């Protein structure tokens, strides 16, 4: 497996990150264990979760994903083999990025994950009500205590990320080493208009979420009516516009030419972007995971990339 440097964190990850939002939601514990076993068996090593996952699911309250993942870590004894990422700030019981909240939330996450340290701890979203100095200072104490190896920022604007990097430099605090933006063939403008350049300039690692646009770019759903009964219907509705449907047509065409699947092509496109370290994607069956992992060995010809670029704009 060709590993990639995760910014300047000192961590190395494979070119695909497993999205743990499905654990305890659309994948029960036995299924989640089978998925994780296959993922690491194939040489992949980075797993992303959050304390809030998956509070939106029927009958769920949050913390389920971390709990399932923690049970797998305890059962398999693979903690040293993975790069473990989780997040704070978006879950109602532990909302925001105040010092007190971060200190309480990290201990909750460590308990559920059944580990004594996190490889990357993300601010799940910006909190404009808390000074950056307070948030970064709280993260610094976690690093000093050995609870966190590196910190990251998810859902930050380019302006706020630049400001945070400036505060870290001026005050000698750990900086956000990893960025987690929404980025895929359809959702491009927010990242490419500012964050990509900032990540490159500061040598940040970038792991993108919604890399398959919540499943839209798998080609599984040909029209909006196909969403009926899908657990992800609420995430997918907005993609079925003229641009989205055109993009699906081109994605299927390129996939057919390469003997690949639309999901593999969409992930390989993200993997090849110069500012991206690895996309995040999730699966609910081993067969589906095998398909996604195949993207790591798919090489897209220049002509295919040009077609995809044009269709996605």
């Amino acid at each position: 497996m060709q590993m990639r440097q995760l910014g300047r964190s000192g961590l190395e990850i494979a070119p695909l990150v497993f999205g743990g939002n499905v654990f305890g939601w659309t994948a029960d514990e036995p299924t989640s264990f089978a998925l994780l076993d296959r993922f690491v068996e194939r040489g992949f090593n980075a797993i992303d979760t959050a304390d809030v996952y998956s509070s939106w699911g029927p009958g769920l309250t949050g913390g389920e994903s971390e709990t399932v993942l923690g049970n797998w870590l305890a059962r398999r004894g693979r903690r040293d083999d993975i790069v473990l990422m989780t997040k704070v700030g978006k879950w109602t019981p532990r909302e925001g990025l105040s010092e007190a909240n971060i200190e309480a939330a990290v201990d909750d996450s460590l308990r559920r994950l059944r580990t004594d340290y996190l490889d990357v701890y993300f601010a799940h979203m910006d909190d404009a009500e808390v000074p950056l100095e307070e948030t970064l200072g709280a993260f610094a104490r976690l690093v000093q205590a050995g609870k966190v190896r590196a910190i990251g920022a998810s859902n930050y604007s380019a302006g706020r990320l630049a400001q945070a990097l400036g505060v870290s430099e001026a005050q000698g605090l750990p900086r956000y080493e990893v960025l987690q933006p929404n980025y895929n063939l359809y959702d491009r403008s927010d990242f490419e208009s500012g964050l990509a350049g900032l990540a490159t300039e500061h040598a940040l690692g970038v792991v993108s979420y919604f890399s398959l646009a919540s499943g839209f770019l798998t080609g599984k759903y040909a029209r909006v009516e196909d969403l009926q009964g899908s657990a992800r219907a609420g995430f997918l509705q907005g993609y079925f516009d003229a641009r989205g449907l055109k993009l699906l047509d081109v994605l299927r065409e390129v996939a057919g030419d390469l003997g690949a699947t639309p999901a593999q092509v969409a992930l390989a496109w993200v993997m090849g972007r110069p500012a991206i370290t690895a996309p995040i994607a999730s699966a609910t069956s081993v067969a589906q995971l095998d398909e996604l992992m195949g993207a790591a060995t798919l090489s897209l010809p220049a002509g295919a990339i040009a077609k995809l670029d044009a269709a996605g704009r």
Side-chain angles (χ1 to χ4, degrees):
M1 180 65 63
Q2 183 70 42
M3 295 294 175
R4 299 179 174 188
Q5 294 289 331
L6 189 58
R8 296 176 182 167
S9 67
L11 301 166
E12 291 186 338
I13 64 171
L16 179 68
V17 178
F18 197 111
N21 60 316
V22 297
F23 302 148
W25 174 37
T26 49
D28 61 16
E29 183 162 291
T31 302
S32 299
F33 279 24
L35 292 165
L36 288 161
D37 288 343
R38 178 62 64 90
F39 191 68
V40 297
E41 170 191 298
R42 290 282 302 274
F44 295 85
N45 67 331
I47 303 168
D48 176 80
T49 185
D51 56 3
V52 71
Y53 297 164
S54 293
S55 61
W56 55 81
L60 304 180
T61 59
E64 290 85 6
S65 174
E66 290 184 332
T67 298
V68 169
L69 181 51
N71 291 343
W72 177 80
L73 288 170
R75 188 81 56 85
R76 299 294 191 261
R78 302 299 296 264
R79 178 66 187 92
D80 293 341
D81 299 328
I82 68 165
V83 173
L84 180 60
M85 309 176 185
T86 193
K87 310 180 196 75
V88 57
K90 207 171 182 179
W91 187 29
T92 300
R94 288 280 181 256
E95 197 168 8
L97 298 177
S98 69
E99 177 182 8
N101 190 64
I102 289 171
E103 289 179 351
V106 74
D107 287 338
D108 288 347
S109 287
L110 290 171
R111 174 179 48 80
R112 285 188 292 267
L113 289 163
R114 301 173 74 170
T115 183
D116 57 3
Y117 73 99
L118 305 171
D119 292 295
V120 184
Y121 198 29
F122 283 97
H124 203 160
M125 60 189 300
D126 189 13
D127 185 351
E129 296 183 3
V130 177
L132 286 166
E133 292 83 353
E134 179 180 342
T135 296
L136 292 165
F139 282 137
R141 283 181 280 281
L142 299 186
V143 172
Q144 291 163 1
K147 294 181 179 182
V148 172
R149 295 181 66 185
I151 60 173
S154 182
N155 299 302
Y156 272 55
S157 68
R160 281 287 282 179
L161 179 59
Q163 189 179 352
L165 293 171
V167 168
S168 293
E169 183 177 7
Q171 300 197 12
L173 297 170
R175 69 173 197 163
Y176 289 134
E177 292 290 352
V178 190
L179 175 64
Q180 188 172 138
N182 176 8
Y183 186 59
N184 55 61
L185 266 167
Y186 183 98
D187 299 303
R188 296 178 58 177
S189 59
D190 283 353
F191 179 68
E192 292 182 356
S193 63
L195 286 168
L198 196 61
T200 300
E201 177 187 353
H202 293 275
L204 305 181
V206 181
V207 291
S208 58
Y209 72 87
F210 284 172
S211 303
L212 289 171
S214 294
F216 175 73
L217 296 174
T218 65
K220 176 181 177 181
Y221 310 101
R223 54 197 185 122
V224 71
E225 289 78 11
D226 295 338
L227 298 177
Q228 187 172 358
S230 169
R232 293 179 176 272
F235 295 99
L236 284 159
Q237 297 280 353
Y239 290 108
F240 287 88
D241 57 11
R243 182 167 69 90
L245 294 174
K246 176 186 175 184
L247 179 55
L248 273 188
D249 287 341
V250 173
L251 195 55
R252 292 191 185 99
E253 177 188 341
V254 170
D257 290 343
L258 298 176
T261 67
Q264 289 172 335
V265 171
L267 289 175
W269 180 88
V270 178
M271 291 174 185
R273 307 305 287 179
I276 298 290
T277 310
I280 301 169
S282 58
T284 55
S285 72
V286 170
Q288 186 183 54
L289 178 59
D290 283 342
E291 175 192 355
L292 300 185
M293 291 188 294
T297 55
L298 178 63
S299 178
L300 298 181
I305 294 171
K307 282 184 182 179
L308 294 166
D309 282 349
R313 292 193 184 280

